[in-house]
Amino acid sequence: MKALTWHGKRDVRYETVPDPVIRDRDDVIVRITTTGLCGSDLHLYEVLGAFLDPGDVLGHEPMGIVEEVGPDVTALKPGDRVVVPFNISCGSCFMCTQGLHSQCETTQVHEHGTGAALFGYTKLYGQVPGGQAEYLRVPFGDRLPVRVPEGPADDRFVYLSDVLPTAWQAVDYASVPRGGSVAVLGLGPIGDMSCRIAAHRGAGTVIGVDLVPERLERARRRGVHALDLTEHGDGLTDAVRELTGGRGPDAVVDAVGMEAHGSRLAAAAQEMTTFLPDGFAAALTKRAGVDRLSALHTAIDLVRRGGTVSVSGVYGGAADPLPMLTMFDKQLTLRMGQANVRRWVDDILPLLLDGDPLGVDDFATHRLPLAEAPDAYEMFQAKRDGAVKVLFTP
């Protein structure tokens, strides 16, 4: 089959790899019809090469048609249409029954001390072949894939794999009171969708912050108070407080993560690890890695006293300094973590079956053949051509 594979920093290739096969009795094989490009994929493209091997298949936002099922699978049959959550969760362990599917005890990667395995996402999370491919082996066939109805185009459902549950969890964790205020830092796919979900769930004031004109305009069209970081700069806090009664928003969602602008020292440290031998770079990252924390620091500064900071942007540092004095003094609540995809499906799926209140049908800005993925990665990283969400067709 054809798939997108990693071969080094900023080097992804569309090439032939072995077809997946049934390995366990509850596996299913899915023929991918649509698969997404995620901001988290850029971390592999740029920073986390020490945890990848050449030829690793990327991608964790797929959906498609079941082609084959293992002998123990009873809930699915060939021909069923499914979305595949990005975290690989068994659905029956203690963590899964608590709604913490990203911490699944069956697939935790004990070698690295990390949570549930992920599709297409480094040795830290199991080195499982990903979904930017023509076919995908999916374990736990009775409990992991999400069956969706025929009819609407893939765009209606594909975001159940990552974007929708990640943004839903970000807003849920933010605990925005009905009629209250929330600021979302970063208007990429997760930030944009977080704004939409916050408004849908009853937030009175939704503020978005970014520095890409097309992303700002896209948010404004849906009623978001979109603030240009390049325009406000050091005055961002004052601008946000003017919109929130002078005290700051009830909650802030950090949808940026480790690739925030600012902190030249942290950026240089990240860059340095990409030139080190993999073993040394991996050890250094796990023990002393640092992130560019400007988005998180901004969130802590913006939020009102007694408010909540919800972190959905991915961070990977092991030695990140936090302003504990400020956090303690402001009496903040901080919540974060990989989205527990299966936890939120029952809340989200009805919104996809009755109209399109979150605007998923036209959420993608680019739809491309998977063969064009190498160029799309470059475009998305550079934020060119108005790229917010890219979908591939294998």
Side-chain angles (χ1 to χ4, degrees), residues 212 214-215 218 365-366 379 383-389:
V212 180
E214 294 88 348
R215 296 184 177 191
R218 176 180 162 106
T365 54
H366 294 72
M379 173 187 68
K383 300 178 176 64
R384 288 192 285 104
D385 301 333
V388 176
K389 189 60 187 178

Side-chain angles (χ1 to χ4, degrees), residues 16 67 75 116 141 161 204 209 216 225 245 254 257 277 285 295 297 303 305 354 367 380:
T16 300
E67 289 283 304
S161 61
V209 181
L216 292 162
H225 297 276
D254 173 3
T285 299
H297 282 266
V303 71
R305 291 179 177 272
D354 184 16
R367 296 171 182 81
F380 187 44

Side-chain angles (χ1 to χ4, degrees), residues 34 71 77 81 118 177 214 235 243 261 290 297-299 308 329 343 364:
T34 298
K77 64 184 185 303
R81 189 185 193 195
L118 310 178
E214 294 88 348
L243 295 170
H261 290 261
V290 294
H297 282 266
T298 298
T308 301
D329 179 65
R343 161 67 178 83

Side-chain angles (χ1 to χ4, degrees), residues 5 20 27 29 39 46 108 151 228 270 280 302 304 348 366 394:
T5 60
D27 285 349
I29 303 297
E46 186 72 26
Q108 283 176 14
D228 188 340
Q270 289 180 350
F280 186 47
L302 289 181
R304 68 162 171 82
I348 300 168
H366 294 72

